[in-house]
Amino acid sequence: MAENFQLQGRHGKSRVRVSRVWRRPAAAGGDVIVEWNVAVSIVSDCLPSYTSSDNSAIVATDSIKNTVYVKAKECTEVVSMEEFAVILGRHFTSLYPQVSEATVTIVERPWERVTVDGKPHSHGFKVGVEKHSTEVIVKKSGSLRINSGIQGYSLLKTTQSGFEGFVTDRYRLLPDTRERIVATEVTAWWRYPFEHVSQLPSKPFCFTQRYQDVKKVLAETFFGPPDVGVYSPSVQNTLYLMAKEVLTRFPDISSVQLRMPNLHFLPVNLGSKEAPLVKVKLPLL
């Protein structure tokens, strides 16, 4: 009986740490530095390397790693991580005939410019917390998919949050409340509408600025106005409103996904217990 196999060869290189500095005078905003953790996965017609030990179609991990470094050096102007991922994807799918698709994933370490005496420093940076990430898929046909996101974005408010009216059964211990601390760590992914490399704007689309814009809208929706805030009946409802606001504010984002686990700050019921009186005997002077 004949056996039918459908095989796809995929290989690549991950954990390629690349840093790039663009030197600029203080008058132009100062130096720009990025630190990226890059992973490249390519789909190629390399079946003989599996079936007959013929590696002639394999692009070695060493070549992939060095390509990342070379392409970063060739970027003489500041580029976003999304733009850099597209550059890498187009390179691998155009240079190698056997490569039909390239997936480039980048996570950026958040180096932020420091402020000294109220002024942005020209070449001083500190590490932030939340991380910008992207996944770009480029096919030989020019088909394109760009997803970007944020990881580790921690948000907390001390009031204006509750949770009530949920299922009551014999397992429930949690009481209804309209007053609690609400905290979460946001992981967000959003998709840009560009479906072909030809649809990319001739003038570079500022993906980095859009990342900052989305982060700002997520926080503004979570917290509400600075003086009065906004009431959150549940993390689920707040998540929905945050995602809805992103799609409403930015037509160039076609979809968004949010993951927001509830980081609990639970009150301790001390009952009628009181702290004991502590007496301290001081030495006579």
Side-chain angles (χ1 to χ4, degrees), residues 47 152 169 277:
L47 183 59
D169 56 22
L277 180 62

Side-chain angles (χ1 to χ4, degrees), residues 150 153 155 190 209-223 242 245-246 249-250:
I150 186 171
Y153 192 26
L155 304 174
W190 54 92
Q209 183 60 52
R210 181 61 73 242
Y211 164 75
Q212 296 293 343
D213 293 340
V214 171
K215 185 168 72 167
K216 184 172 181 286
V217 166
L218 291 174
E220 288 176 348
T221 309
F222 180 87
F223 293 116
M242 291 164 68
E245 190 64 19
V246 168
R249 292 276 293 273
F250 307 117

Side-chain angles (χ1 to χ4, degrees), residues 163 174 180-184 235 261-267:
F163 188 52
L174 189 68
R180 66 171 183 171
I181 295 173
V182 63
T184 187
V235 174
N262 202 338
L263 306 180
H264 295 288
F265 286 75
L266 300 178

Side-chain angles (χ1 to χ4, degrees), residues 131-133 147-153 185-191 211 214-215 218 242 246 256-260:
K131 295 180 179 180
H132 182 187
S133 55
N147 291 326
S148 290
I150 186 171
Q151 302 174 11
Y153 192 26
E185 186 174 281
V186 180
T187 300
W189 281 97
W190 54 92
R191 183 171 178 177
Y211 164 75
V214 171
K215 185 168 72 167
L218 291 174
M242 291 164 68
V246 168
V256 61
Q257 296 181 10
L258 292 177
R259 184 168 70 245
M260 291 172 48

Side-chain angles (χ1 to χ4, degrees), residues 60-79:
T61 58
D62 179 67
S63 296
I64 295 174
K65 176 190 67 177
N66 293 331
T67 297
V68 174
Y69 297 146
V70 169
K71 291 300 176 183
K73 184 178 181 180
E74 289 177 355
C75 292
T76 56
E77 300 294 330
V78 178
V79 296

Side-chain angles (χ1 to χ4, degrees), residues 61-283:
T61 58
D62 179 67
S63 296
I64 295 174
K65 176 190 67 177
N66 293 331
T67 297
V68 174
Y69 297 146
V70 169
K71 291 300 176 183
K73 184 178 181 180
E74 289 177 355
C75 292
T76 56
E77 300 294 330
V78 178
V79 296
S80 68
M81 59 195 300
E82 289 87 351
E83 291 170 306
F84 185 63
V86 171
I87 290 170
L88 289 176
R90 297 186 71 174
H91 169 84
F92 287 109
T93 54
S94 61
L95 181 63
Y96 303 103
Q98 71 274 27
V99 175
S100 59
E101 178 181 307
T103 299
V104 181
T105 304
I106 303 177
V107 178
E108 183 174 60
R109 193 176 189 195
W111 288 105
E112 301 173 349
R113 191 177 304 278
V114 299
T115 299
V116 178
D117 293 334
K119 297 181 180 180
H121 201 281
S122 64
H123 56 271
F125 297 83
K126 64 181 179 66
V127 175
V129 180
E130 62 274 357
K131 295 180 179 180
H132 182 187
S133 55
T134 191
E135 181 188 74
V136 174
I137 301 176
V138 181
K139 295 187 178 181
K140 191 177 287 292
S141 63
S143 174
L144 178 67
R145 188 173 74 188
I146 302 177
N147 291 326
S148 290
I150 186 171
Q151 302 174 11
Y153 192 26
S154 298
L155 304 174
L156 177 150
K157 57 183 184 179
T158 58
T159 188
Q160 288 278 55
S161 175
F163 188 52
E164 55 189 339
F166 50 96
V167 172
T168 298
D169 56 22
R170 65 191 183 97
Y171 301 102
R172 173 178 166 175
L173 295 175
L174 189 68
D176 285 354
T177 182
R178 291 187 61 82
E179 179 58 62
R180 66 171 183 171
I181 295 173
V182 63
T184 187
E185 186 174 281
V186 180
T187 300
W189 281 97
W190 54 92
R191 183 171 178 177
Y192 291 103
F194 313 116
E195 296 183 352
H196 194 275
V197 293
S198 62
Q199 296 177 350
L200 290 171
S202 55
K203 183 178 180 181
F205 179 80
C206 191
F207 291 100
T208 303
Q209 183 60 52
R210 181 61 73 242
Y211 164 75
Q212 296 293 343
D213 293 340
V214 171
K215 185 168 72 167
K216 184 172 181 286
V217 166
L218 291 174
E220 288 176 348
T221 309
F222 180 87
F223 293 116
D227 51 346
V228 296
V230 62
Y231 182 72
S232 169
S234 69
V235 174
Q236 298 93 305
N237 179 252
T238 298
L239 178 151
Y240 167 75
L241 294 176
M242 291 164 68
K244 181 180 178 182
E245 190 64 19
V246 168
L247 293 175
T248 300
R249 292 276 293 273
F250 307 117
D252 49 45
I253 292 178
S254 58
S255 65
V256 61
Q257 296 181 10
L258 292 177
R259 184 168 70 245
M260 291 172 48
N262 202 338
L263 306 180
H264 295 288
F265 286 75
L266 300 178
V268 176
N269 184 2
L270 297 177
S272 60
K273 293 179 171 51
E274 296 180 356
L277 180 62
V278 177
K279 295 182 179 181
V280 179
K281 186 176 181 180
L282 298 178

